[in-house]
Amino acid sequence: MSRDYQQFPDDENGNVLWQMFQDGDDLTEAHEIEFSIAFNEEEQADRCALHLLKEEQKISLFQDEESDTLEWVITIYVYMEPAYEDIVDLEQWFTKIANEFGGVYDGWGCMAYVYDDVDDEELSFKS
């Protein structure tokens, strides 16, 4: 199977989506994609979380005790088909929001469900 570089450009997002596709994940089905923003200060994270809630985003906020530098993480859950252009648009939006509140956009990931006749396999991808 040859790669369609229009659908799966040669960059980090395109590579993750291409890998998901090669592994048999149905990218025409909606997935809950998790986008992350990390903060050094709880106050910054709280203000950003409130902003995202006002933007009607589904989020979680937690303290990452394993991290050496960025301790507070907001995860934004977006239910969508994992299309390259939409992911790039959301990354740009979340990067802008992260910058506004003193955070750092930290990538996206999702659970991929691959079904075949023999067994069910659950994979996790992160960009």
Side-chain angles (χ1 to χ4, degrees):
M1 147 182 13
S2 67
R3 181 169 172 168
D4 175 359
Y5 285 94
Q6 295 282 41
Q7 185 177 4
F8 306 108
D10 189 15
D11 64 12
E12 191 172 8
N13 290 326
N15 293 338
V16 170
L17 291 169
W18 173 242
Q19 185 63 55
M20 290 170 66
F21 179 77
Q22 283 188 306
D23 289 341
D25 194 4
D26 185 353
L27 301 182
T28 64
E29 293 288 325
H31 292 58
E32 186 168 64
I33 299 180
E34 301 175 4
F35 297 86
S36 297
I37 301 174
F39 296 88
N40 287 322
E41 303 293 328
E42 182 179 10
E43 181 182 332
Q44 295 168 313
D46 288 345
R47 288 184 311 134
C48 185
L50 184 58
H51 174 78
L52 288 165
L53 288 171
K54 288 180 180 179
E55 292 289 327
E56 300 182 0
Q57 298 300 306
K58 177 182 171 185
I59 68 165
S60 66
L61 171 62
F62 67 95
Q63 185 175 19
D64 184 359
E65 303 200 6
E66 295 178 13
S67 175
D68 292 334
T69 55
L70 302 174
E71 296 185 31
W72 294 91
V73 178
I74 296 175
T75 303
I76 306 107
Y77 303 91
V78 180
Y79 192 68
M80 61 184 277
E81 290 180 22
Y84 178 84
E85 295 81 12
D86 295 335
I87 288 172
V88 169
D89 287 346
L90 283 169
E91 281 192 313
Q92 291 172 349
W93 188 52
F94 292 135
T95 297
K96 179 180 175 231
I97 291 170
N99 291 336
E100 278 181 46
F101 292 94
V104 176
Y105 174 73
D106 196 32
W108 64 274
C110 70
M111 296 304 291
Y113 298 96
V114 180
Y115 300 99
D116 59 30
D117 294 338
V118 179
D119 60 7
D120 294 345
E121 183 177 343
E122 186 176 309
L123 305 170
S124 179
F125 293 94
K126 177 141 174 89
S127 164

